Each structure stands twice: as structure tokens, then as C-alpha cells.
Amino acid sequence: MRPAASGVGPVATKRPKDRKDRIALAGAELFCERGYHGVSVDEIAAVVGISGPAVYRHFPNKYAILVHATRDVVGALLAATAESHATTPEGVLDELLAALAVVAVSKRRVAGLYQWEGRYLTPEHRREFAATLDTLVGRLAGPLRELRSDLTAGQAELLVNAALSAFGSVSTYRAAATGTEQLLTRVAWTLLRADAPQLPPQQRATPGTAAVRPASRRELLLGEAIRLFHRHGYHAVAVEDIGRAAGMQASSVYRYFPSKADLLAAAYYRASDRLAGATTTAIAEASDPADALRRVVQAYVAYAFGQSDLVAVYLAENNNLPDVDRHQLRGAQRSHVEEWVRLVGTVRPDLSVADARVLVHAVLNVITDIGRLGRFDRTSGYDAQTARLALAVLQA
């Protein structure tokens, strides 16, 4: 205990005026690092340097911290795009993109809330979040359509979402991001000037049809686990839910997987193995480095569109893996990215390794996000259009 000053009682410390914001920031960083469910209020308090009960003077619960932190992220994006002093559509976009690049880099440790942790919001708050993002997209889509009369409203919004995805990609890796603002702005401009994919029409489910279920019970359980983890999040799904979806008792699930965490790890190893196989095949069949890069992009698009549930789980749930598996799988993820970086560097010797890595992460993020906007439709050529958009990024 710190001794009291001589001749006086204990010195009272003044509560900082921004303590609520500090708590929200600490919460956001921990949520992005370890997942919303992997963080306690006491751990957030420890980062801020206060007691757990002191947090409750500002927030009634952990969920309120998530809401506040999410609002802070999108609020920073809205503030950065609130106004422009330019007099032409191109000038307006140039100012807004440069401002967004600065926010993306400065907020990279918490921007993951924008992509993944927001799924833990209630429907009411998700609608609020979506409406705010719609406002942001509209601020860029308006001047983009003035600049490009060939675009429909939907195409302009899709390209803006692609640019925002590229900015958001800086939050998906840990390598230093110093000096990347200009490159990210260049990537965003490349996307806004690209040929826009045409969003596929909304497909209606045909009554009475159902997906073919695998005969193997292990495969059936793994498939249902991946589907449920994607739809509800890992923590919201119980082993009983997985067993019920597969048409068996929970006790039967444990004959194939010792725990829910083992099911998640099996999904990750499957995703990692399939991705590595697709990449290796694409490179082996190429005639030169440029052809290899094109084939690798197409292979990743085919993988993301054909295994969309698995890809979503692979990108969102790594914080819930057992420590040993997480370490091993992160190594595999890094190896996959570095294979791309090597190819990009061979095709683009003008780029530094750091810049090539920025482009690769931007491409991977754009493919996933643009695929999601089009519901990973493979019947209308949307996958091929997405691949062309991704290849344009690598030329930024």
C-alpha cells in the first residue's frame, strides 16, 4: 500500500474525464484480440488500471462496452467523412479516401469489431450499426456515381464496400502498418475505378429441396458444427445443438469428437488443408509467375465461394481454438499469406515485401466481403467477376 503523505490523509486521485472512453477502448482491443466471450470485465478493468466494480460506474455490463466500442469505430469513420472542401467528385473522393486510410491505420487494433465481433450485437443494435454503415457508403457512392455515370447505384455501393474492405484489412494482421495509408488509398482508388461486378439476383429457395447429407456420421457432425458456428457463433452453440442438427444424441457426438473445441479445431484443419491444396495445385499448373498469381486468386475465390460457411468460421473463430491448435494453425495461415507475398513480389518487383503483404491482405479481405455481399453466388458469374476485381487490387 502506498504510504500517505506526511501530516495529511490519503491523497484522492481525480477520476479522468475520459475514463469511459478508455474502458471502451480497452474492451475493444481485448475483444478483437481474444474474442468477445473470451474477455471479462475484470480483465478490461485491469488494462485501464481500475477495479472491476469501478467499470460499472460507467457501463452496466460487458455488452454495453461492446455497443459503445462499436459506435466509436463507426463514429470515427463518419467523423472522417463528415465534410470535404473539394469542388469536384474526384477531389471529394480523394479527400474522403485519404481520411479513411488514416482512421483505418490508427484504429487497426479495434477495427475487427466492424467485421466480426459486431455479430454479438442484438438485432436492434445490428440494425443501428448497419444504418450507420449505409450512411458511410452513401457518402462515397454519391460522388462516385457523379464521377462514373456508367455505374448503377448498386454497383457504386459494391465498389465502395470493396474499398472499405481493403481499408479494414489492415486489422487482420499484426505486421507493422507504418506508411501504409498512401498504399491503402491507392488500392481504394483502384477498386473504385474497376469494372464493377453485377450483384446476382436474390435466389429463392425451392420448397422441398434439401442439401445432400454425408453418409459418414463424423462428416455429418463436422458439417453441422460448421454451419451452426457460422450462423450463431461458437459460444452460442452447444454440443447438444450440433447433435440435434445431425439427428443424434449429444452422447453420440462424443464418440467422434471429445469436445466442442475439438470440432472447431477439426474445421480449422480442414479449411487449412483444403486451402493449401488448392494453392499448391494452382501454382503447379501455372506457366509463369503471372499465371500462377492469377490461378491462385481464382483458386481462393473458388474455395471461398464453395466453402463459405467454413471460410467464415475460419476467419472469425480462431480465438476459441485450443492454444496448441491456434499456434499451429496461425503458422499455416502465415505460410499461406507468404506464398502469395512471394508471388506478388515476383510479378511486381517494384513493390517492397511490406507493400506486397498489404496488397495480399487487402485482396483476401475483399474476396471474402464482396463474396458475402453477393451471397457467394456461383450461378451467374459473380465469382469470376470477384476474381477480376481481386486481381485489379494486386496491380494497384
Side-chain angles (χ1 to χ4, degrees):
M1 180 180 296
R2 181 182 300 172
S6 178
V8 298
V11 178
T13 58
K14 188 175 181 180
R15 185 183 306 166
K17 292 182 179 180
D18 64 345
R19 178 165 286 174
K20 184 171 185 177
D21 291 334
R22 290 185 186 183
I23 294 170
L25 177 60
E29 291 179 350
L30 288 173
F31 296 154
C32 290
E33 181 183 342
R34 306 212 308 259
Y36 174 70
H37 287 286
V39 177
S40 70
V41 169
D42 285 341
E43 288 170 322
I44 296 171
V47 171
V48 181
I50 58 177
S51 67
V55 172
Y56 295 107
R57 298 193 188 108
H58 303 277
F59 296 99
N61 50 43
K62 185 174 74 169
Y63 177 76
I65 299 175
L66 175 64
V67 172
H68 187 99
T70 306
R71 285 172 175 164
D72 276 353
V73 171
V74 293
L77 297 172
L78 288 180
T81 57
E83 61 180 355
S84 168
H85 301 292
T87 57
T88 65
E90 186 171 14
V92 170
L93 286 171
D94 210 36
E95 285 189 11
L96 298 186
L97 293 177
L100 287 171
V102 171
V103 173
V105 173
S106 65
K107 296 278 188 181
R108 67 179 304 207
R109 293 184 63 183
V110 298
L113 292 174
Y114 156 76
Q115 193 164 20
W116 297 115
E117 299 308 315
R119 66 202 159 126
Y120 296 118
L121 296 173
T122 63
E124 175 189 358
H125 287 129
R126 278 201 298 272
R127 287 192 294 271
E128 175 193 323
F129 188 38
T132 306
L133 291 178
D134 285 345
T135 299
L136 175 64
V137 170
R139 289 179 178 178
L140 281 79
L144 178 59
R145 290 195 73 196
E146 290 183 52
L147 187 66
R148 294 188 56 183
S149 59
D150 60 304
L151 297 177
T152 65
Q155 289 175 315
E157 290 171 1
L158 186 146
L159 292 179
V160 168
N161 273 289
L164 293 176
S165 176
F167 287 134
S169 68
V170 76
S171 70
T172 64
Y173 57 97
R174 299 180 180 181
T178 304
T180 61
E181 290 93 342
Q182 289 184 339
L183 180 55
L184 287 172
T185 302
R186 197 166 79 219
V187 168
W189 263 121
T190 298
L191 288 163
L192 295 186
R193 289 175 172 138
D195 292 334
Q198 183 66 49
L199 279 171
Q202 181 74 48
Q203 299 289 330
R204 292 186 178 181
T206 304
T209 62
V212 177
R213 291 160 72 90
S216 162
R217 285 195 164 194
R218 188 179 191 280
E219 288 299 309
L220 179 58
L221 285 168
L222 186 55
E224 292 298 337
I226 291 168
R227 183 181 65 82
L228 291 172
F229 291 158
H230 175 215
R231 180 171 298 180
H232 305 293
Y234 175 79
H235 285 276
V237 177
V239 170
E240 290 78 8
D241 299 324
I242 299 169
R244 189 180 306 112
M248 63 183 75
Q249 297 293 323
S251 57
S252 299
V253 177
Y254 294 113
R255 297 176 187 172
Y256 302 93
F257 297 95
S259 68
K260 187 174 72 166
D262 288 297
L263 265 165
L264 181 63
Y268 266 79
Y269 284 113
R270 167 154 301 181
S272 181
D273 289 345
R274 288 183 176 177
L275 186 54
T279 302
T280 299
T281 299
I283 294 173
E285 294 176 349
S287 58
D288 56 50
D291 184 40
L293 187 58
R294 178 179 59 82
R295 287 175 180 268
V296 165
V297 169
Q298 292 172 339
Y300 187 81
V301 170
Y303 165 77
F305 276 61
Q307 307 282 332
S308 57
D309 282 1
L310 180 58
V311 171
V313 171
Y314 183 74
L315 295 174
E317 299 290 358
N318 64 83
N319 290 317
N320 296 309
L321 286 166
D323 289 342
V324 173
D325 296 304
R326 183 168 59 250
H327 178 75
Q328 182 172 341
L329 286 160
R330 280 181 175 169
Q333 288 173 332
R334 285 192 295 269
S335 295
H336 176 246
V337 168
E338 291 309 308
E339 189 68 62
W340 281 59
V341 171
R342 182 187 64 80
L343 272 176
V344 171
T346 303
V347 176
R348 296 275 313 273
D350 57 303
L351 292 175
S352 67
V353 172
D355 284 354
R357 192 172 290 113
V358 170
L359 291 184
V360 168
H361 282 287
V363 164
L364 296 174
N365 223 43
V366 166
I367 289 172
T368 304
D369 287 346
I370 296 307
R372 189 183 301 112
L373 283 177
R375 301 174 298 281
F376 295 101
D377 185 278
R378 292 180 290 170
T379 64
S380 59
Y382 186 70
D383 50 350
Q385 297 175 67
T386 301
R388 286 196 292 272
L389 194 65
L391 284 167
V393 171
L394 294 177
Q395 298 303 318

